[in-house]
Amino acid sequence: LLPAARAAVAVLDAWANDRFQRSFAALPTPLQDQGLTGLANGLLPAKDFPQQQVFRALHSLALEGFLSDPRYGGNRGRLGWRSAGFSGGHTGHGH
């Protein structure tokens, strides 16, 4: 998946450079959202790149990290759990 993620970053950077003469990372959040929405809907100029499939895979991984058990390296400070109203995990350490 790493090559696909790198390719998605390249697609987003090319889009940002073409439209705004800036890297994707340098864009303000609303414009980044616009680029990600374009990627999610397969609307960015990227011939033969499976934008929608790659976006779905990356989105799933981001959610898994945000909502995972912190002992596995994601969900720092249980922020994902707290935002979902969940106070703990199966480990008994979330109280």
Side-chain angles (χ1 to χ4, degrees):
L1 187 58
L2 185 58
R6 287 183 175 149
V9 168
V11 167
L12 288 164
D13 269 337
W15 169 81
N17 282 318
D18 183 53
R19 295 208 46 206
F20 307 105
Q21 295 72 52
R22 295 161 74 183
S23 70
F24 179 78
L27 294 176
T29 302
L31 293 179
Q32 288 180 346
D33 287 346
Q34 183 181 345
L36 290 169
T37 299
L39 186 72
N41 292 306
L43 300 175
L44 299 185
K47 185 176 172 122
D48 299 325
F49 182 71
Q51 297 178 55
Q52 293 173 300
Q53 293 86 345
V54 171
F55 178 87
R56 279 195 298 269
L58 295 174
H59 184 253
S60 292
L61 289 172
L63 287 175
E64 287 177 23
F66 186 67
L67 297 171
S68 68
D69 190 318
R71 67 182 163 168
Y72 298 115
N75 193 9
R76 180 172 283 164
R78 293 178 170 82
L79 177 66
W81 288 354
R82 287 196 318 263
S83 70
F86 182 62
S87 63
H90 299 291
T91 63
H93 299 290
H95 302 290

